[in-house]
Amino acid sequence: MPDDPRLLVGFDKADDAGVFRISDQMALIQTVDFFTPMVDDPYSFGQIAAANALSDVYAMGGKPLTAMNIVCFPECLDVGILREIIKGGLSKIEEAGAVLVGGHTIDDAEPKYGLSVTGVIDPQRVTTNHGAREEDCLYMTKSLGTGIIATAIKGEMADENQIAAVISSMTALNDRARDAMMEVGVNACTDVTGFGLLGHAMEMAEGSGVGIELWSDSLGFLPGAMELANMGLIPGGAYSNRDYLQDRVEVEEGLDLTCLDIMYSPETSGGLLISVDQMSSRRLEEEFVRQGVVFFKVGRVKGAKPGRIRVLRRE
Ligand code: CO
Ligand code: CO
Ligand code: CO
């Protein structure tokens, strides 16, 4: 990693975004994310891609300022589809209070869309993914299962209600969850995306030098996620995440393995995983309620060796 002292967060600990100090009062947060469609409706896809890209700024505790579109689009496809994707993205940029300042489009065989986002934060208040401390409580906002349901959509196995619920979850900004955690002050945060709950929790455990215990019964699951995962609709990423992580994950005997599959599955535009001091946990819960944020108390920093995760059914 470059050793410039102004670089507060680089890529050495797999954090959500880079953070660069420009003065004692202000640091820039920079992040980029784009991917191929996981839903059929282009406007919803634009919203999902934008919410997902903006989320990395929220995961650092920051406020998004500006965004740029990144677009790959086949020349042979109807340009009206592209217009819908970009309109969807813009709606989320505006909802976040940020400003679209430009972008770039190239011709490509498969459509892809996302954003590069710049945000700001007080350099003293950057929330990294590696500040978790012994005895912290762990919270997760949003339910799990976006990867499962996206796989079911591809296989035409998801019903209308399941699709509506997953779109509403993936298009939801993590802005109010961010407001709640910054109001209270927390030790660590990351958003749960491609590496799944277990992957991102592992980054937190390793980066913080602590062990993490997760409770499968306390997790939230999107409607249909358990049934569809039970039918074997598991995204390929879940298997690669498991191969990479399983030596460091200890699982309680008798635990529902479908649950575990979902915990390994990639998420798109997932919620925030937050590690907060026990003394502040009640206040964080009150703040979540006040902000109307769905939350789950999913575990604690305890019960496992440093850099390891233990999955139990319940506390
Ligand atoms: Co992230
Ligand atoms: Co990201
Ligand atoms: Co972070």
Side-chain angles (χ1 to χ4, degrees), residues 18 153 181 219:
I153 291 174
M181 80 168 178
L219 297 168

Side-chain angles (χ1 to χ4, degrees), residues 75-109:
E75 258 162 21
C76 59
L77 264 188
D78 175 7
V79 70
I81 296 173
L82 177 57
R83 235 178 272 128
E84 283 300 301
I85 294 174
I86 287 177
K87 256 184 18 198
L90 182 63
S91 77
K92 286 293 151 180
I93 295 169
E94 287 175 343
E95 186 185 330
V99 179
L100 180 68
V101 296
H104 189 72
T105 304
I106 62 163
D107 178 37
D108 195 4

Side-chain angles (χ1 to χ4, degrees), residues 296-311:
F296 307 89
K297 187 175 182 182
V298 297
R300 59 181 173 178
V301 180
K302 207 186 172 169
K305 293 196 198 95
R308 306 228 161 200
I309 293 176
R310 215 155 74 113
V311 187

Side-chain angles (χ1 to χ4, degrees), residues 153-187:
I153 291 174
K154 271 191 201 121
E156 296 184 354
M157 299 290 280
D159 70 32
E160 245 169 75
N161 293 335
Q162 292 161 351
I163 295 173
V166 75
I167 288 178
S168 134
S169 174
M170 292 190 292
T171 56
L173 294 178
N174 283 324
D175 55 347
R176 284 169 300 133
R178 174 247 174 233
D179 290 348
M181 80 168 178
M182 294 311 280
E183 183 65 36
V184 173
V186 304
N187 291 332

